[in-house]
Amino acid sequence: MAKEEVLEFKGKIIKSLPNAMFEVKLHDNGHVVIGYTAGKLKKNRIRVLDGDEVLCSISPYDLKRCRIIFRY
């Protein structure tokens, strides 16, 4: 895998955590990861609430953390 490659999964927000972080349950494999909002979501103040469907990008180096890059 190249350094720039990321894994993208759809997921659902389970719980809001402090510092704009969230617990996300992935649809494909059922894993629970810790996610934070990415640049455009934070810049445009797009709200992410419990129960929202989101698209996450996960680095192959740390599979327990993700960036939330899109809210459906």
Side-chain angles (χ1 to χ4, degrees):
M1 293 179 101
K3 184 176 181 181
E4 297 84 25
E5 282 189 41
V6 293
L7 309 169
E8 290 189 353
F9 294 104
K10 289 184 180 179
K12 185 174 187 175
I13 303 290
I14 297 174
K15 183 169 63 171
S16 297
L17 301 173
N19 296 330
M21 298 184 73
F22 304 92
E23 278 190 9
V24 181
K25 183 172 184 177
L26 303 178
H27 288 313
D28 293 343
N29 51 16
H31 285 34
V32 176
V33 295
I34 302 295
Y36 58 92
T37 54
K40 290 286 185 178
L41 289 171
K42 194 177 287 188
K43 177 184 170 190
N44 295 322
R45 295 189 181 134
I46 295 174
R47 305 247 185 230
V48 180
L49 303 173
D50 295 350
D52 283 348
E53 300 290 326
V54 292
L55 181 66
C56 300
S57 68
I58 300 176
S59 170
Y61 297 111
D62 188 7
L63 299 175
K64 291 291 181 184
R65 299 180 68 86
C66 72
R67 297 177 65 208
I68 298 170
I69 56 175
F70 188 78
R71 185 186 130 223
Y72 292 105

